[in-house]
Amino acid sequence: GHGVVVVGASVAGVHAAEALRDNAYSGPITVLDAEPGPASYDRPPLSKQLLLGEWDLPRAALRAPAALADRHIDTRYGVHAVGLDVDAATVHTSHGPQPFDGLIIATGATPRRLPGVAPMAGLHGLRTASECLALRADFERGAELVIVGAGFIGMEVAAAARAMGVSVTVVDTLDAPMAGQLGRELGQQLQRLHEGHGVRFLLGRGVTSVRGVDRVESVELDDGTVLRADVVLVGIGARPVTDWLSRSGLDTSDGLICDRRLFAAPQIVGAGDVVNWHNPRYDRRMRIEHWTTAMEHGAVAAGNLLGDADEHRDADLVPYFWSDQYGVRIQQAGITGATTRVVRGDPDTVVVLSGDADLLTGVIAVGADRAFVRARRLLRKPCTLDDAEDAVASLLARGG
Ligand code: FAD
């Protein structure tokens, strides 16, 4: 047979390919990626260790190429998938047709751009290693950086840039950084952390244009403010990469629409940031752009592709996300929002528990790693907010 084809050789695709072998699949596995190679790399270091220059690119590798070759996983870089013929079970690529018995779609997401702003030198997005190295090179020139978007990418880049002595201004229409994810109170605490490191915030304001002749010179805001800038980072979210599927007949209306077992069609599964699936644990559709979900998707998708229908597993995953800023770890798990209880340790550590009625549904922590780990574990079974609060408070009282 043709075996399994995986499109996308990042977290979701590589874990899926390995999970096929873990499930004793012995047929051909071909993993395609548009990136030049020679190896797949991990993205979290692109706004942390690699951007800071603490690591070089080989250290950020997801797997050594030999580790995949040893398991007879044939990884081909520089190959773009350009179309999918579902009936003919064939992916069309820049290097010709690639027929498959089973297909795993793991093409991830790509940064949103500012509408109406043309590419120019000094204007950056951050998703790939080459974008990371280009941004780092601009920081080394010593610069005035404007970050558009106070989400986690923007805030991690702000922290890295300050560590490199770059002056940083963050602009967002929201009124606190990461407010959508962390809520207003924690967002404001995060803002104070950044301000303590010299980051300037212009919040509640949008960017209307980025100007420059050969390279970026200024950024204009909707209240008329003009900010001088040598470097601009746009971190306003990402969109799922489904353009290559537009004529496939698969539903790509908001990411690749998959069922609770990650099937998009018979013999076709999705994994990672590209996927919008029905999570039966919460009885709702989700599109999650986090590392751990991508990895977990890969394992479930690969297992289900191989198994008989009665063996298929639900992707009933608990979302989890971490971010590192100035050595402080921010973590989130489950569903947060609605009812909350705030448990504080020393002034810089805080755990926020979220609930639905009296039951724990989610947790956010700033610092407080051990308390977070405990609360995350409690999410896997029914647990009352009272019990979770007691458990977290006793750990925080003992310093963690
Ligand atoms: P991706 O990593 O986006 O990979 C998709 C792959 O598909 C790419 O290699 C791409 O080249 C390839 N591809 C796309 N289209 C085609 C095509 N048509 N043909 C062939 N190949 C194609 N998450 C956290 O939880 N914590 C963090 O601290 C964190 N930090 C991050 C920092 C940065 C700078 C970034 C960008 C992301 C970070 N994330 C973090 C998110 C995490 O990296 C993603 O959730 C994860 O990479 C998703 O993996 P994926 O395999 O689904 O998709």
Side-chain angles (χ1 to χ4, degrees):
H2 302 296
V4 176
V5 171
V6 184
V7 184
S10 184
V11 190
V14 166
H15 279 93
E18 291 177 329
L20 292 170
R21 291 289 182 241
D22 294 343
N23 281 284
Y25 177 69
S26 59
I29 302 175
T30 310
V31 189
L32 311 176
D33 201 294
E35 283 267 333
S40 297
Y41 56 83
D42 219 0
R43 294 188 201 283
L46 304 185
S47 50
K48 306 176 185 73
Q49 298 88 344
L50 195 67
L51 186 59
L52 282 161
E54 293 171 359
W55 291 9
D56 59 7
L57 186 52
R59 182 143 175 216
L62 203 52
R63 292 290 180 277
L68 296 175
D70 284 350
R71 301 192 79 184
H72 303 285
I73 296 168
D74 179 13
T75 313
R76 300 185 195 159
Y77 297 99
V79 179
H80 294 244
V82 294
L84 168 63
D85 184 334
V86 173
D87 293 335
T90 299
V91 175
H92 292 284
T93 82
S94 53
H95 290 55
Q98 179 76 51
F100 60 81
D101 301 321
L103 175 65
I104 299 175
I105 295 174
T107 43
T110 191
R112 284 183 204 284
R113 294 189 182 186
L114 282 172
V117 175
M120 68 182 102
L123 177 62
H124 298 263
L126 181 55
R127 185 82 192 178
T128 65
S130 67
E131 287 167 340
C132 169
L133 297 175
L135 188 59
R136 180 173 165 73
D138 267 2
F139 287 174
E140 278 168 347
R141 297 154 51 119
E144 197 76 44
L145 168 68
V146 173
I147 295 177
V148 185
F152 89 90
I153 297 269
M155 299 323 293
E156 288 193 351
V157 170
R162 289 304 300 141
M164 293 178 70
V166 173
S167 81
V168 180
T169 304
V170 177
V171 183
D172 200 307
T173 51
L174 295 179
D175 62 2
M178 294 180 73
Q181 205 157 17
L182 302 182
R184 195 150 182 270
E185 191 184 336
L186 278 189
Q188 286 171 340
Q189 180 174 329
L190 183 65
Q191 180 175 346
R192 289 191 295 274
L193 173 70
H194 279 268
E195 284 170 344
H197 286 83
V199 174
R200 181 162 74 122
F201 286 86
L202 295 173
L203 298 171
R205 276 170 273 191
V207 167
T208 50
S209 66
V210 178
R211 296 183 191 283
V213 182
D214 292 326
R215 56 174 296 131
V216 166
E217 286 166 12
S218 65
V219 173
E220 212 172 277
L221 310 190
D222 54 15
D223 65 353
T225 306
V226 177
L227 301 170
R228 215 188 67 69
D230 308 300
V231 188
V232 174
L233 173 80
V234 179
I236 55 172
R239 62 173 176 80
V241 178
T242 55
D243 40 347
W244 65 285
L245 298 169
S246 62
R247 290 191 306 274
S248 67
L250 297 182
D251 184 351
T252 56
S253 48
D254 176 21
L256 175 66
I257 308 295
C258 294
D259 68 10
R260 55 199 280 158
R261 279 119 192 224
L262 299 177
F263 281 92
Q267 298 311 310
I268 302 178
V269 289
D273 285 11
V274 73
V275 160
N276 175 328
W277 92 109
H278 180 88
N279 186 334
R281 179 180 292 271
Y282 305 104
D283 193 24
R284 64 159 100 154
R285 290 209 150 265
M286 293 186 168
R287 201 161 64 64
I288 305 269
E289 293 169 0
H290 303 333
W291 194 96
T292 305
T293 304
M295 179 191 76
E296 292 171 343
H297 270 170
V300 173
N304 287 350
L305 189 61
L306 299 176
D308 295 330
D310 59 348
E311 297 168 345
H312 288 169
R313 249 181 75 196
D314 282 342
D316 57 347
L317 309 174
V318 178
Y320 165 68
F321 164 78
W322 83 92
S323 174
D324 296 324
Q325 298 169 30
Y326 309 106
V328 178
R329 176 152 287 197
I330 300 161
Q331 297 178 92
Q332 176 184 37
I335 305 292
T336 52
T339 317
T340 57
R341 303 242 182 119
V342 180
V343 192
R344 288 191 179 274
D346 72 59
D348 295 332
T349 59
V350 54
V351 177
V352 178
L353 301 169
S354 294
D356 185 359
D358 287 332
L359 287 181
L360 180 71
T361 58
V363 55
I364 300 174
V366 179
D369 291 353
R370 285 197 309 136
F372 177 83
V373 168
R374 172 69 63 83
R376 184 182 177 194
R377 205 174 297 140
L378 295 175
L379 285 172
R380 298 188 181 280
K381 48 195 169 208
C383 173
T384 65
L385 271 174
D386 286 339
D387 288 348
E389 187 172 357
D390 287 347
V392 164
S394 76
L395 280 170
L396 281 181
R398 284 185 275 133

